[in-house]
Amino acid sequence: MGGHLTHGWYVSATGRWFRGIRYGVRRDTGRIDLDEVRDLALAERPKLIFCGGTAVPRTIDSAGFAEIARETGAVLVADIAHIAGLIAGGAHPSPAGHTDVVSTTHKTLRGPRGAMLLSTAVHARAIDRAVFPGLQGGPHNQTTAAIAVALGEAATAGFCSYAHQVVANARTLGEQLADRGFDLVSGGTDNHLLLIDLTNKDVPGKTAAGALDRAGIVVNHNAVPYDPRKPFDPSGIRIGTPALTSRVIPASAMATVAGWIDTAVEGARMGDETVIKKVREEVKDLMDAYPAPGLPVF
């Protein structure tokens, strides 16, 4: 629940190579239940435990997972692809020091699609051999260079401000959406994303995401915990604030953004393209006022 397909899901190659046992979140809080994780780990004795995800709006307890991994003899991997930039900017706790392996690189780090695998010394040689010659094809020098540029940017004070503003914007946007009756999974966020269950809005996630896209607001349809609908037509949407923050749009504008989302989702429910078109015009005006940034200057 909130994990990635590559974390052993049956439709992924990882689910074919390995037997994945999935832990969930509590129904009442929408948060990971470490007691359940421990019980599963003690029963299954896994070789590998993943913590981290792609639709997890709350801080993951890396220290708690590390205790379970030590108790069961598992290697602990933190997938921080989404939150790497927040960690680099000091806006989110780091799993380093708790986990055996950390994987990343784009999304909030604002780098290209690629990979960096960080590990303790005991696993370094095995990981190097697994990457090459085991899995990696020809490296793309432009991607490697772009990762270097992203890391250079992440080392600046400006990036630190960006990372903290991403979280501030996400929290403010979540509060504004909750005030408009949106059901936020776990009740809010500690990071850059919001996972929203649209069941009470009587709109499927895929329908809402399509309407928001036509309104100039890019989100994706996403399954929510204990979703009764199928993954390809789920109940929820996932929203993030890094792109807005990169345009230096302040937290004070999140009320306006929440209003647009509310209007577009209601337009989707009513099948009213007129209001969706009007939102798109207003979105364009804001985007014109806050253009996308150019290349970073060091």
Side-chain angles (χ1 to χ4, degrees):
M1 293 180 181
H4 195 268
L5 293 177
T6 56
H7 298 166
W9 191 249
Y10 71 93
V11 296
S12 167
T14 57
R16 297 172 185 269
W17 295 343
F18 307 103
R19 185 173 67 92
I21 304 297
R22 290 173 286 279
Y23 54 86
V25 296
R26 290 176 59 98
R27 283 184 181 271
D28 57 340
T29 65
R31 297 177 186 242
I32 295 169
D33 184 343
L34 285 183
D35 289 335
E36 180 199 5
V37 175
R38 175 175 280 103
D39 289 344
L40 282 172
L42 287 171
E44 299 291 341
R45 295 287 172 175
K47 294 182 178 180
L48 193 67
I49 296 177
F50 273 95
C51 61
T54 64
V56 180
R58 294 299 186 176
T59 301
I60 293 172
D61 184 358
S62 299
F65 269 97
E67 183 180 324
I68 294 168
R70 285 193 299 269
E71 187 176 353
T72 58
V75 174
L76 180 61
V77 179
D79 182 347
I80 63 167
H82 266 266
I83 57 174
L86 303 183
I87 292 170
H92 193 283
S94 174
H98 299 297
T99 61
D100 301 290
V101 183
V102 175
S103 63
T104 172
T105 62
H106 58 303
K107 301 185 174 74
T108 55
L109 193 60
R110 297 197 299 199
R113 285 191 174 271
M116 291 189 298
L117 293 172
L118 315 178
S119 79
T120 55
V122 68
H123 299 294
R125 180 172 174 79
I127 287 174
D128 285 346
R129 289 180 64 84
V131 172
F132 188 83
L135 293 169
Q136 178 179 284
H140 293 178
N141 289 338
Q142 76 277 12
T143 303
T144 304
I147 291 172
V149 170
L151 294 177
E153 183 178 349
T156 65
F159 188 90
C160 182
S161 298
Y162 150 80
H164 283 83
Q165 192 60 49
V166 165
V167 177
N169 283 351
R171 285 176 172 161
T172 302
L173 180 59
E175 291 164 1
Q176 291 292 332
L177 288 169
D179 287 345
R180 289 166 172 80
F182 284 86
D183 181 8
L184 309 184
V185 172
S186 80
T189 183
D190 297 325
N191 53 39
H192 64 298
L193 68 85
L194 297 159
L195 185 59
I196 302 173
D197 186 346
L198 294 174
T199 301
N200 69 339
K201 294 291 184 179
D202 196 27
V203 183
K206 195 169 189 177
T207 301
L212 287 164
D213 187 55
R214 295 193 299 278
I217 301 172
V218 180
V219 306
N220 70 282
H221 57 277
N222 209 99
V224 297
Y226 305 101
D227 200 329
R229 301 178 66 88
K230 296 180 179 179
F232 288 103
D233 187 20
S235 298
I237 54 175
R238 184 183 60 169
I239 300 175
T241 53
L244 289 174
T245 309
S246 291
R247 289 175 174 263
V248 201
I249 295 175
S252 59
M254 294 304 108
T256 300
V257 175
W260 287 335
I261 292 171
D262 190 19
T263 300
V265 169
E266 178 62 15
R269 188 183 73 83
M270 299 293 292
D272 188 345
E273 289 295 322
T274 303
V275 297
I276 294 172
K277 182 179 179 181
K278 185 176 185 299
V279 168
R280 185 179 184 89
E281 293 169 354
E282 294 175 3
V283 168
K284 184 178 184 305
D285 288 340
L286 183 65
M287 296 302 99
D288 288 345
Y290 293 93
L295 294 175
V297 178
F298 302 121

